[in-house]
């Protein structure tokens, strides 16, 4: 039943931030994925608005073509013509649709407007990352290659100012119970490991190795951002990166002590380099702090927190 818990009731935080800082780039935001397929609430974490999920692109080759593919004038004209036809059809449909359905039609119209914007944007003077031969992005064994390519593309898109907001979703909600053969972990899938009792020492060791691998990939993304010179420092100095999990403890489904790693210089908006613990404080406060770091004066975010304000001591 976990895959059918319903669609989100509002925009996700990245899209709120993108509304503020993503209006001048070809893509307001980019959604990357790693084996994040499926079209149900379990496979979606980014929402443009209530019940309007944005699908992550899980194929690095497709994302490369989207960002850095050939932009011939003939191809552009053909795509623009297709967009114009769709716009005309949607405009006609909006006048015929019941009032309750018109916001959905308008969302599609707005999406086409964003496509038009991207088609008309001039290519940026930047260097596209070199791409190795394509791999099967949905083959579990290729996961290490896929995640690294997605991170390289994300860093390149930010460096080229193709977007200023990006997300990376690893597999799906509820976990997909994949094994980690590249780590030698094959006796049971991740989901089952995370539900093993605390007395299972082998499960603890396997989970520790899995999360250490995640941390290494997160560090790889930070290295990619730090390699781009920007002003007197690097792009990492001016970027806020948040790595989070859905649960604090898998075998009890507890939300207590849910871990988050906040990295990057955030242009000085947050005080970094510390280990902080908060008792009985919803993670919504971290999201409020992130909004505040981008100059969005929110005091609440989401519907699961009865309090308000950012995490104490996080903002500079």
């Amino acid at each position: 039943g976990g895959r059918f818990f319903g669609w989100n009731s509002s925009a996700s935080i990245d899209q709120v931030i993108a509304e503020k800082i993503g209006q001048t780039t070809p893509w307001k935001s980019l959604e990357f994925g790693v084996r994040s397929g499926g079209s149900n609430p379990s496979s979606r974490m980014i929402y443009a608005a209530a019940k309007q999920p944005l699908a992550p692109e899980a194929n690095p080759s497709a994302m490369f073509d989207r960002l850095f593919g050939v932009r011939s004038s003939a191809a552009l004209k053909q795509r623009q013509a297709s967009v114009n036809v769709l716009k005309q059809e949607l405009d006609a449909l909006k006048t015929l649709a019941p009032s309750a359905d018109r916001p959905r039609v308008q969302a599609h119209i707005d999406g086409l407007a964003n496509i038009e914007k991207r088609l008309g944007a001039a290519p940026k003077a930047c260097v596209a990352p070199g791409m190795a031969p394509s791999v099967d992005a949905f083959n579990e064994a290729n996961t290490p290659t896929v995640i690294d390519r997605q991170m390289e593309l994300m860093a390149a898109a930010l460096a080229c100012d193709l977007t200023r907001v990006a997300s990376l979703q690893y597999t799906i909600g509820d976990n997909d119970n994949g094994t980690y053969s590249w780590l030698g972990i094959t006796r049971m899938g991740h989901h089952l490991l995370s539900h093993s009792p605390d007395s299972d020492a082998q499960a603890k060791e396997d989970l520790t190795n899995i999360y250490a691998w995640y941390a290494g990939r997160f560090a790889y993304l930070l290295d990619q951002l730090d390699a781009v010179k920007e002003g007197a420092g690097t792009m990492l100095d001016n970027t806020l990166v948040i790595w989070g999990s859905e649960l604090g403890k898998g075998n009890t489904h507890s939300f207590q002590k849910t871990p988050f790693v906040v990295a990057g210089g955030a242009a000085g908006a947050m005080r970094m380099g510390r280990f902080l613990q908060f008792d009985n404080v919803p993670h919504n406060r971290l999201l409020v702090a992130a909004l505040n770091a981008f100059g969005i004066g929110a005091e609440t975010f989401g519907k699961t927190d009865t309090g308000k304000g950012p995490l104490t001591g996080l903002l500079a």
Side-chain angles (χ1 to χ4, degrees), residues 170 175-180 188-195 207 210-211 214:
Y170 188 86
N175 204 312
D176 67 344
N177 204 36
T179 60
Y180 287 69
M188 67 174 70
H190 188 190
H191 188 87
L192 292 177
L193 282 171
S194 69
H195 281 71
L207 288 170
I210 289 172
Y211 300 142
Y214 284 143

Side-chain angles (χ1 to χ4, degrees), residues 74-93 108-109 111-120:
L76 283 175
K77 288 180 180 179
Q78 185 176 21
R79 292 176 186 177
Q80 287 172 333
S82 298
V83 169
N84 288 336
V85 171
L86 286 172
K87 279 184 63 180
Q88 292 173 4
E89 292 178 351
L90 286 170
D91 285 337
L93 178 61
H108 287 297
I109 293 173
L112 285 174
N114 287 329
I115 292 174
E116 275 193 311
K117 177 183 175 182
R118 294 196 295 269
L119 291 175

Side-chain angles (χ1 to χ4, degrees), residues 138-176:
F138 303 97
N139 183 333
E140 186 176 283
N142 294 330
T143 297
T145 298
V146 172
I147 194 170
D148 283 1
R149 289 190 186 178
Q150 294 289 57
M151 288 177 169
E152 291 159 5
L153 285 168
M154 180 186 292
L158 293 168
C160 294
D161 206 25
L162 297 175
T163 192
R164 295 178 184 175
V165 177
S167 60
L168 175 61
Q169 175 183 330
Y170 188 86
T171 66
I172 62 174
D174 288 351
N175 204 312
D176 67 344

Side-chain angles (χ1 to χ4, degrees), residues 17 20-21 164-165 238-240 269 289-297:
I17 293 172
K20 179 176 177 64
I21 69 170
R164 295 178 184 175
V165 177
N238 297 311
T239 304
L240 174 64
L291 292 173
N292 292 175
F294 284 93
I296 300 172

Side-chain angles (χ1 to χ4, degrees), residues 237-313:
D237 295 325
N238 297 311
T239 304
L240 174 64
V241 190
I242 299 177
W243 170 30
S245 175
E246 295 171 293
L247 294 173
K249 199 167 187 289
N251 60 8
T252 61
H253 283 198
S254 171
F255 294 112
Q256 297 297 315
K257 297 183 178 179
T258 304
F260 287 90
V261 179
V262 181
M270 290 188 177
R271 298 168 56 202
M272 300 298 191
R274 297 171 298 152
F275 178 75
L276 303 176
Q277 295 188 76
F278 298 90
D279 293 327
N280 298 316
V281 176
H283 82 282
N284 307 59
R285 311 290 175 86
L286 171 60
L287 305 182
V288 171
L291 292 173
N292 292 175
F294 284 93
I296 300 172
E299 290 193 329
T300 62
F301 187 80
K303 299 180 179 179
T304 59
D305 182 11
T306 58
K308 60 182 181 181
L311 284 179
T312 304

Side-chain angles (χ1 to χ4, degrees), residues 35-57:
R35 291 194 296 111
S36 51
S39 183
N40 54 66
S42 176
S43 65
R44 298 291 182 264
M45 73 174 189
I46 304 300
Y47 285 76
K51 300 181 181 180
Q52 293 181 26
L54 299 178
E57 174 53 69

